[in-house]
Amino acid sequence: MAQADVASRGAAAAAADQSDAEDLARLGYRQELKRDLGSLSAFAAGFSYVSILTTVFQLFVIGYTFGGTRFFWTWPVVFLGQLAVALNLAEVGSNYPVAGSVYQWGRRVWSGYPGWLAGWLKLVGDVVSVAAAAIALQAILPGLWGGFQLLGGDPSLTSRDGAANAVLLGAGLVVLTTAINMAGVKVMACVNDLGVLAELGGVVLLIGALLLHAVRGPEVVLAPVYGPPSSLGTGVAGLLAAALMPAYVLYGFDSAGSLAEETRSPRRIIPRAILKAIVVSGVGGALLIVAALMAAPSLTDGRLSSEGLAYVVVSALGPTLGKVFLADVALAVCVCTLAIQTGASRLAFSMARDGALPGAAALSRVSPRTRTPVGPAIAVGALACGMLLVNYGEAQLFVLITESAVLLVNLSYLLVTSGMLVRRLRGWPGHASARGEVFSLGRAGLALNAAAVLWGIALIANIAWPRHDGGSAWMQYFPVLSVIGTVALGLALHAATQRPRGEQEGDEVPAQGASSASITL
């Protein structure tokens, strides 16, 4: 009887895989990658990219420096705006469940260069984000054990010793994540799933521990308490600058869509994974910020503005327990780097498969043993290691490059949502909304799409606004100049590569064989 059940389940899984392969064929591609992932792994891909333990620890100082305790309120504002974006990406991702996420979505709502540009901007932003995530190890590991400071004695990221050691630790991590990606999607997913479970457990325990050691109530977010005064003051300008913190955290949730060709029943699972990633990150991050403000020994001694969340954890919980949580943060950094690199490699593979990148033949090759695109993983890892070297010479320049990455990724989202809005006004998704298991925003689609576009414009304007007081002009405008340079380079690459096959505005999966049921908001 048990053998019959196993055989029955095996037959059902094979039938489902065949159905997914046929669905992919209707979108113009044959099944090459190994379709081996379920809902947990899809969620983990999006959640790990955001990685609130990694990014909130890294960026808490930005929010508090400019906004004081009131910077908490920038978090729900940014969360709601990004949720509108995520809802639209979930819908288009369900309609077009193909590896490469933003690239595939962009080229199906825009024809020509704009659609290709969405993928190019996301790819460049992802490569830089791999380096930015990996370099965060320097802010954690030397504090756990002095032996991690392999070069010199000063672990500060702004010192020469710290910058050099950060490059060494970060490059070592990127080499490790590259090896994991080369081993196959199952190995990658197993590591990522375990890391996400550890991070989620760590977030819950850390919030609980900080609340148990609270020295003030939650009303702290209502009182305008500041540390040392910032150059932007305590008004609206300060809060807009503080909003950069959640803006730098809450992106990358689309990464679940990059694994669409390796996920079973992607039309159903991918949109849920995207939305779960942004919601869990938004709620968890908000609670973590409040708990940290409640447990901070002092709000005015300047340490929150210089040392951030690590100072709160070690001071409130003691060095032993505090280091346990810092170790969990280090693990979160590792899986965050892995998730970003995985998403970037699938994006590069998807573009190369269409002949839309230089070196397309090598980048689109799938390993016959692991059924994984090995070349893109190596290329992304190598480029990220190259980016790390920038930090050795000038840490401030690396910060500016990281800002540019956030700008690039959100611009790629805006290209997709604006293309969706144009298409929606022409009747999209039309009959596509009647396909089986397709996520649909229903009647709320137009309003949510317009909100996502307006939010994207506002967010990008805030990120790009020059604020580097006392810095040179090129530093103040570096993110904008880097975007202009990336777009110009993309224009040259697009002109030099062949037009991606199947790239016609209005590409939609035929409705044959699909039921009339759909998932609506």
Side-chain angles (χ1 to χ4, degrees):
M1 189 69 175
Q3 290 180 340
D5 289 341
V6 171
S8 177
R9 287 195 295 269
D17 288 346
Q18 179 64 27
S19 176
D20 290 335
E22 292 171 354
D23 194 16
L24 181 62
R26 288 193 289 269
L27 282 163
Y29 301 99
R30 63 187 177 90
Q31 186 73 53
E32 294 182 275
L33 306 181
K34 189 174 183 180
R35 198 176 287 275
D36 215 11
L37 305 182
S39 56
L40 173 60
S41 297
F43 160 74
F47 179 78
S48 294
Y49 193 124
V50 179
S51 188
I52 54 175
L53 270 186
T54 300
T55 48
V56 172
F57 264 81
Q58 268 187 299
L59 303 168
F60 187 94
V61 293
I62 294 177
Y64 193 78
T65 296
F66 294 115
T69 55
R70 291 193 305 175
F71 101 87
F72 164 80
W73 295 106
T74 65
W75 184 275
V77 171
V78 173
F79 166 67
L80 291 175
Q82 293 295 73
L83 179 59
V85 175
L87 284 164
N88 283 274
L89 297 187
E91 183 177 37
V92 72
S94 186
N95 275 275
Y96 308 115
V98 183
S101 64
V102 170
Y103 162 67
Q104 287 289 342
W105 306 337
R107 78 178 189 86
R108 292 172 191 273
V109 297
W110 287 112
S111 61
Y113 181 61
W116 181 92
L117 182 62
W120 170 246
L121 294 177
K122 182 63 162 56
L123 180 59
V124 175
D126 279 354
V127 170
V128 178
S129 295
V130 171
I135 213 167
L137 282 181
Q138 180 63 25
I140 301 164
L141 292 185
L144 284 173
W145 178 50
F148 285 116
Q149 185 63 34
L150 303 170
L151 301 175
D154 188 351
S156 172
L157 270 170
T158 57
S159 69
R160 185 174 180 82
D161 291 345
N165 201 66
V167 172
L168 188 62
L169 293 178
L173 176 56
V174 172
V175 169
L176 176 61
T177 57
T178 301
I180 293 173
N181 265 304
M182 292 173 64
V185 69
K186 193 68 174 178
V187 175
M188 181 282 300
C190 181
V191 173
N192 204 29
D193 292 353
L194 292 175
V196 165
L197 292 175
E199 180 173 359
L200 285 171
V203 169
V204 172
L205 292 175
L206 180 57
I207 292 171
L210 290 176
L211 291 177
L212 288 175
H213 290 80
V215 295
R216 60 187 66 84
E219 67 275 4
V220 64
V221 299
L222 300 174
V225 179
Y226 294 84
S230 74
S231 59
L232 297 177
T234 60
V236 174
L239 282 176
L240 287 174
L244 295 176
M245 182 269 188
Y248 291 176
V249 174
L250 296 172
Y251 77 100
F253 39 81
D254 66 287
S255 286
S258 282
L259 299 174
E261 291 180 35
E262 295 156 281
T263 303
R264 300 188 187 96
S265 303
R267 290 189 184 276
R268 175 177 57 86
I269 288 179
I270 293 303
R272 293 177 179 178
I274 292 173
L275 296 178
K276 285 178 183 177
I278 183 68
V279 170
V280 172
S281 299
V283 174
L287 293 175
L288 184 57
I289 292 170
V290 172
L293 293 173
M294 291 171 62
S298 172
L299 299 175
T300 57
D301 65 359
R303 296 189 66 181
L304 270 180
S305 300
S306 60
E307 301 173 49
L309 199 52
Y311 150 69
V312 179
V313 171
V314 175
S315 299
L317 306 182
T320 301
L321 185 57
K323 287 185 176 182
V324 171
F325 282 110
L326 289 181
D328 193 42
V329 176
L331 177 61
V333 171
C334 295
V335 296
C336 175
T337 306
L338 175 63
I340 300 172
Q341 185 181 15
T342 301
S345 65
R346 299 309 187 269
L347 177 54
F349 163 76
S350 186
M351 296 182 74
R353 180 175 56 182
D354 282 353
L357 284 178
L363 293 175
S364 61
R365 189 175 299 121
V366 176
S367 167
R369 182 177 64 84
T370 63
R371 294 175 62 187
T372 298
V374 173
I378 296 174
V380 170
L383 290 171
C385 286
M387 291 299 309
L388 283 169
L389 293 175
V390 175
N391 190 75
Y392 182 82
E394 181 56 68
Q396 179 61 26
L397 179 58
F398 188 83
V399 172
L400 293 172
I401 292 173
T402 303
E403 290 181 17
S404 303
V406 180
L407 193 57
L408 290 169
V409 173
N410 281 286
L411 271 170
S412 74
Y413 292 166
L414 179 59
L415 279 170
V416 174
T417 56
S418 58
M420 289 178 68
L421 183 58
V422 172
R423 291 280 307 282
R424 203 183 293 273
L425 291 172
R426 298 176 182 173
W428 185 88
H431 69 273
S433 62
R435 299 186 194 119
E437 296 192 327
V438 173
F439 177 84
S440 172
L441 296 178
R443 295 179 179 178
L446 182 60
L448 285 170
N449 203 158
V453 170
L454 292 174
W455 165 254
I457 294 171
L459 181 67
I460 289 166
N462 190 38
I463 295 172
W465 197 263
R467 292 187 177 89
H468 299 283
D469 188 33
S472 61
W474 77 268
M475 290 181 68
Q476 293 185 36
Y477 293 97
F478 182 90
V480 175
L481 294 174
S482 65
V483 169
I484 293 173
T486 302
V487 171
L489 177 59
L491 181 60
L493 288 177
H494 184 263
T497 55
Q498 68 181 55
R499 180 179 175 85
R501 62 186 178 87
E503 183 190 351
Q504 296 297 327
E505 185 177 355
D507 277 356
E508 293 181 352
V509 183
Q512 293 95 322
S515 71
S516 60
S518 63
I519 305 169
T520 56
L521 184 66

